[in-house]
Amino acid sequence: MTTPEQQPPEPEPTKPPGPTAPQYQDRIYRSPAGLAGGALLLAVIAWLGIDAVVSGQGRTPWLALAVMLLLVPLVVAYTLRPAVYVNDDRLRIRNPFRVIVLPWGRVASLRSGFSNEVLTESGAKYQLWALPVSLRARNRAARQEARAAAQAARGDQGGRGRGGAGAYGPGSVPDGPRRAESDRAMDEMRELHERRQEAEAAQGEVTVRWAYEIAAPALAGAVLLAVLLAVG
């Protein structure tokens, strides 16, 4: 008895090539101090508010609920929500009450002063809430750079005096100037902007969306609080 001859499986149809993936996923910039401060504030609000709701008398629980409804969205908006998302094609800015999407082709410049801002070709200006400017961090980075340069200079002098390569070795000289975290993030975005602003995939329109999910609860809490205070 012979066994049936097995036929070779048919070749699978070739799948059409998909869209080219970006070089990397969205790089996210956020403020660690803002996240920590926001979490602490929310914990304090929850502690005091829940205690007032549970043990309060008369209108106190309602006032506590109204205050919590007003404050929690605002704390989230200004501390936990801000973020900057960056990829090869566009810059997406999530500010307290707006989300702005800027293709690199529409960005004119990224500016750092007392705040970090992005300017569009049409003249619009958007602040980067997730990258606050810290003068203290800038001064600390400048002091660290000055100390590193002084140590490297002393090492070079000692090495020349002894005919060696320096007291601190080859790793004593920093690779580049020390920068504050927000300044380094702005430098990275400027470099990406210069490289991608002419790319076809980096063209498009600027879009702005309001964060109604934040504004609506805060407005409701403000109205409720005003009504309770007016009624007395």
Side-chain angles (χ1 to χ4, degrees):
M1 185 174 177
T2 59
T3 57
E5 190 178 16
Q6 295 183 356
Q7 298 294 330
E10 296 181 358
E12 295 182 358
T14 304
K15 295 181 180 180
T20 304
Q23 294 181 1
Y24 53 80
Q25 294 181 347
D26 282 7
R27 187 181 304 173
I28 304 174
Y29 298 99
R30 309 187 75 173
S31 171
L35 295 175
L40 180 61
L41 284 175
L42 288 176
V44 171
I45 292 171
W47 174 41
L48 296 177
I50 293 174
D51 180 70
V53 169
V54 172
S55 59
Q57 302 294 327
R59 293 187 309 136
T60 300
W62 290 102
L63 287 171
L65 286 174
V67 171
M68 291 174 65
L69 189 59
L70 171 62
L71 292 183
V72 168
L74 294 179
V75 171
V76 170
Y78 285 99
T79 60
L80 305 183
R81 177 180 168 81
V84 177
Y85 299 83
V86 178
N87 65 22
D88 280 350
D89 299 333
R90 53 105 180 103
L91 172 70
R92 182 161 67 95
I93 305 167
R94 194 171 71 183
N95 279 346
F97 296 103
R98 292 189 298 179
V99 176
I100 306 104
V101 178
L102 297 160
W104 288 120
R106 295 291 181 178
V107 174
S109 64
L110 292 112
R111 185 171 63 186
S112 296
F114 291 104
S115 64
N116 290 315
E117 302 166 339
V118 56
L119 280 73
T120 67
E121 293 179 340
S122 62
K125 180 175 65 176
Y126 302 102
Q127 185 174 349
L128 304 180
W129 283 79
L131 295 173
V133 170
S134 173
L135 298 180
R136 181 179 180 182
R138 284 181 177 175
N139 293 333
R140 183 168 62 247
R143 288 195 300 269
Q144 290 175 352
E145 183 179 359
R147 284 197 298 267
Q151 290 175 356
R154 288 197 298 269
D156 290 342
Q157 292 173 0
R160 285 193 298 268
R162 293 188 303 269
Y168 291 87
S172 63
V173 180
D175 294 335
R178 283 174 167 80
R179 303 274 282 165
E181 289 291 338
S182 61
D183 292 336
R184 284 205 299 267
M186 293 295 288
D187 291 341
E188 292 173 1
M189 286 189 285
R190 290 189 188 100
E191 180 183 354
L192 186 57
H193 170 239
E194 292 176 1
R195 191 170 71 244
R196 295 289 298 172
Q197 61 181 334
E198 302 296 335
E200 182 179 356
Q203 309 304 315
E205 296 297 327
V206 178
T207 61
V208 179
R209 182 183 69 83
W210 288 93
Y212 296 107
E213 67 275 11
I214 296 292
L219 181 60
V223 171
L224 179 59
L225 182 62
V227 170
L228 291 173
L229 294 176
V231 169

